[in-house]
Amino acid sequence: MSVIYWLVIAVAVFAVHCFVAAEFFDVAKMKGWSQKKYLIMAILLWIVGYLLIVALPDRTGTSMNAVICDDLPEL
């Protein structure tokens, strides 16, 4: 009985992990990195894969445009 219980928990944890990895892959696509290797990396490396996707630079070119404002004084 306990083997089935642990198997159900393992499958549930893996299903949640795959959902989270897909969400991180969506973040990678928003940053301009749309290759499937980033999804596979997130699935295989778990939290390390998530951190690698978070650390990817933004290739869309819109990251700093919203921060720069004309109201800021020049140094």
Side-chain angles (χ1 to χ4, degrees):
M1 183 66 172
S2 66
V3 173
I4 296 172
Y5 175 75
W6 288 110
L7 185 62
V8 168
I9 289 176
V11 168
V13 166
F14 187 71
V16 169
H17 166 64
C18 287
F19 174 75
V20 172
E23 292 298 316
F24 272 93
F25 179 60
D26 289 341
V27 170
K29 287 192 294 187
M30 285 190 288
K31 288 183 168 189
W33 303 87
S34 59
Q35 298 92 348
K36 288 285 188 181
K37 66 181 177 181
Y38 296 106
L39 175 63
I40 294 168
M41 180 175 55
I43 290 173
L44 293 180
L45 298 178
W46 290 67
I47 293 181
V48 175
Y50 302 157
L51 293 175
L52 288 171
I53 288 175
V54 168
L56 287 173
D58 190 4
R59 292 182 10 178
T60 60
T62 60
S63 63
M64 292 302 291
N65 292 341
V67 175
I68 299 171
C69 180
D70 292 334
D71 297 335
L72 296 175
E74 297 233 2
L75 298 177

